Amino acid sequence: MPLPKMPSKPASLLSPEDYPKAERNKPVKPNITLVETPVVAKQEIVAAPPAQAKLAEPPRARIAGKTAPAAKPKAAPKSVETRAKSTTSRIADKLGVSKLFVLDTNVLMHDPTSLFRFEEHDVYLPMVTLEELDNHKKGMSEVARNARQISRSLDALVSDIAEDAIDEGIPLSKLGNKDAKGRLFFQTKLQNAALPDGLPEGKADNQILGVVRALDQQYPDRPVVLVSKDINMRLKARAIGLPAEDYFNDHVLEDTDLLYSGIQQLPDDFWTKHGKGMESWQENKHGSSFTYYRVTGPYVPSLLVNQFVFIEPKNGEPPFYGQVTQINGKTAVLQTLRDYGHSKNSVWGITARNREQNFALNLLMNPECDFVTLLGQAGTGKTLLALAAGLAQVLETKLYNEIIVTRVTVPVGEDIGFLPGTEEEKMGPWMGAFDDNLEVLNKSDGDAGEWGRAATQDLIRSRIKIKSLNFMRGRTFVNKFLIIDEAQNLTPKQMKTLVTRAGPGTKIICLGNIAQIDTPYLTEGSSGLTYVVDRFKGWSHSGHVTLARGERSRLADHASDVL
């Protein structure tokens, strides 16, 4: 029987009589019973200001007829969302109290379905929010489309509601959203609440803050929380004592450190635990010979299809690099990789310089893999690898008939006018990174001479088309090699629009660095690139690799470390 943890207070010590004798193979617990937590009135907790609200006292332990203060439990690590929540929200969550969320305009324009994503809680829309929605509904941008969509949803909600029944709230489940169990409230009368001196009353943000303060005073027994994507808006609310928090529902992951990397290092004793009854065979695929291993063991359920696995060499043993091709319960099939670090396997003159680049080229050159995502810092070779793989499969193996390159222009979705020329000429200033990489690929053939390189460059240019994201809606690409650069600046909805453009025989490559997001209201956890990496993991026709090591130059590597 393992030893109990050391108590934090002397009063928590157990006497020897409290430990029953342990029988063999039977776990025994100390004789401890907990007193039930006293029920605290909702009014008593919630009505207090957020800064002064306190949770109920922790229960005390009754030990052998004596009451002693319980040892303070060690707090579990909080998730990012829990830490970002206001004190009022955390208290309401513990008590199971329904909250009233006041929505800022930017939440609705960011996610037009946000009205129906607050579960059992109620939603309140100030009149200023409706005014701002009306101001943003014109145009063809993503924001304007979202404003029109939310306006249509609001119109459908109030269509058959009597005028005198709006004050009672409109069920959000009316349009078929069963998860939305709360009600929608509109501001139907003027809310008078004094704001601190110095805040101009005519500004829309300050009017919303006044509404939140008035609701907080009007419903002292109910938690009222402002939800906004605007950081400064939340800061002002917190400064004047009002609870405010970010909109969390669009966050794919609470912590981007948990984002799927596509690579897993196997333990050193992997073959010892999984080698019993192992089968191995060889197959020829796409002109190369691969070795397959069918292994069974406890580590297999933690793997995903198309995930790369490796064992680093120790004591002079050869390294093992493989890819998971099948998983069935505790049995998996591992396939060896083609070594693109060797010059005989170069792709358009490019060889892999590190382990992750070799993994990426195995995905890019695999015709069975239709969707590839590459993450990495600047200089890790994302664009160069994608272009080299595209040229090799378009001009050499003729697997695809064209390379289409597109890049997110910030701001996304705005008109790319004000530049002369055609669509490709207008996109030229955004495509400097591709021109740099094409120059490197053209110089890889040293025996061609100036005339040969010029002819190759013309041939390459004829097979590469540069397109704008603005005109992707409604298109279908057949047998294309589509590269989406700077994909971290796409929203999940825009990413869905692009990926669904793929027709038969098309391969899509998404490149990006989630640490360099330029689009307003997008974070590492809510980016469209994070969204597709998380949703596509484990699919047999997609793959992902996070490139970790920069290969641009020793100057660039040193600058990234010290600057």
Side-chain angles (χ1 to χ4, degrees), residues 291-463:
T291 304
Y292 292 83
Y293 301 94
R294 180 176 282 112
V295 296
T296 303
Y299 197 80
V300 171
S302 64
L303 300 176
L304 292 171
V305 176
N306 278 348
Q307 187 175 24
F308 292 97
V309 294
F310 69 94
I311 299 178
E312 286 295 345
K314 288 186 178 180
N315 302 324
E317 300 173 356
F320 172 75
Y321 300 127
Q323 186 179 14
V324 182
T325 58
Q326 293 180 20
I327 291 182
N328 186 8
K330 290 189 176 182
T331 301
V333 176
L334 306 181
Q335 170 196 318
T336 57
L337 303 179
R338 188 174 184 181
D339 183 15
Y340 287 101
H342 198 282
S343 58
K344 70 176 183 179
N345 294 327
S346 63
V347 179
W348 203 259
I350 299 297
T351 57
R353 293 190 178 182
N354 55 51
R355 180 181 60 218
E356 288 79 14
Q357 286 190 357
N358 187 36
F359 293 163
L361 282 174
N362 272 274
L363 284 178
L364 293 169
M365 298 299 292
N366 183 4
E368 299 294 327
C369 196
D370 300 331
F371 185 74
V372 178
T373 50
L374 298 181
L375 281 179
Q377 303 292 329
T380 50
K382 305 182 297 293
T383 308
L384 184 64
L385 295 176
L387 268 179
L391 291 173
Q393 294 175 92
V394 169
L395 297 175
E396 291 180 356
T397 62
K398 310 243 186 281
L399 190 61
Y400 309 101
N401 55 29
E402 197 175 49
I403 297 176
I404 294 180
V405 178
T406 185
R407 178 170 178 166
V408 181
T409 57
V410 180
V412 181
E414 295 296 332
D415 186 12
I416 59 169
F418 311 104
L419 291 171
T422 61
E423 178 187 357
E424 292 199 12
E425 291 173 342
K426 288 175 188 261
M427 289 294 294
W430 302 97
M431 293 297 166
F434 283 93
D435 293 335
D436 297 340
N437 286 281
L438 281 176
E439 186 178 349
V440 173
L441 293 172
N442 285 336
K443 288 183 178 179
S444 61
D445 188 3
D447 300 329
E450 290 295 331
W451 289 99
R453 280 196 293 269
T456 303
Q457 187 171 358
D458 291 340
L459 177 61
I460 289 174
R461 286 292 184 183
S462 68
R463 293 301 182 93

Side-chain angles (χ1 to χ4, degrees), residues 84 104 106-107 203 205 209 226-240 242-248 251 517 519-524:
D104 194 3
N106 48 48
V107 176
K203 193 173 181 181
D205 286 357
L209 291 176
L226 170 66
V227 180
S228 175
K229 298 291 293 181
D230 188 350
I231 297 176
N232 289 332
M233 177 78 158
R234 300 198 300 267
L235 289 175
K236 286 198 293 186
R238 295 285 182 94
I240 61 178
L242 296 175
E245 56 193 51
D246 194 3
Y247 176 64
F248 303 116
H251 289 206
I517 295 178
T519 305
Y521 307 129
L522 272 188
T523 62
E524 295 180 1

Side-chain angles (χ1 to χ4, degrees), residues 88-123:
T88 303
S89 277
R90 291 198 294 268
I91 294 174
D93 289 342
K94 285 185 175 290
L95 296 176
V97 180
S98 173
K99 290 172 276 191
L100 179 63
F101 286 110
V102 182
L103 300 191
D104 194 3
T105 316
N106 48 48
V107 176
L108 298 173
M109 291 190 297
H110 177 74
D111 181 8
T113 63
S114 57
L115 274 179
F116 313 104
R117 300 190 180 273
F118 289 94
E119 298 176 346
E120 74 275 11
H121 308 290
D122 295 336
V123 175

Side-chain angles (χ1 to χ4, degrees), residues 91-215:
I91 294 174
D93 289 342
K94 285 185 175 290
L95 296 176
V97 180
S98 173
K99 290 172 276 191
L100 179 63
F101 286 110
V102 182
L103 300 191
D104 194 3
T105 316
N106 48 48
V107 176
L108 298 173
M109 291 190 297
H110 177 74
D111 181 8
T113 63
S114 57
L115 274 179
F116 313 104
R117 300 190 180 273
F118 289 94
E119 298 176 346
E120 74 275 11
H121 308 290
D122 295 336
V123 175
Y124 188 95
L125 293 184
M127 197 59 64
V128 184
T129 297
L130 300 179
E131 285 286 339
E132 288 190 312
L133 279 177
D134 187 62
N135 294 335
H136 288 88
K137 70 181 182 181
K138 296 179 182 179
M140 298 302 296
S141 65
E142 189 73 19
V143 171
R145 280 192 290 269
N146 290 344
R148 291 193 292 270
Q149 181 177 340
I150 193 65
S151 297
R152 286 191 290 268
S153 298
L154 292 174
D155 180 58
L157 284 170
V158 301
S159 59
D160 55 352
I161 300 295
E163 288 78 2
D164 55 351
I166 292 182
D167 287 339
E168 302 174 3
I170 304 170
L172 288 169
S173 58
K174 177 183 174 183
L175 301 182
N177 301 278
K178 297 181 180 179
D179 294 334
K181 301 176 182 177
R183 304 179 77 83
L184 172 65
F185 294 90
F186 290 95
Q187 181 183 357
T188 56
K189 59 183 179 180
L190 182 64
Q191 304 277 8
N192 293 319
L195 289 173
D197 296 335
L199 283 179
E201 296 182 358
K203 193 173 181 181
D205 286 357
N206 298 334
Q207 293 182 34
I208 295 176
L209 291 176
V211 170
V212 176
R213 172 166 280 189
L215 290 173

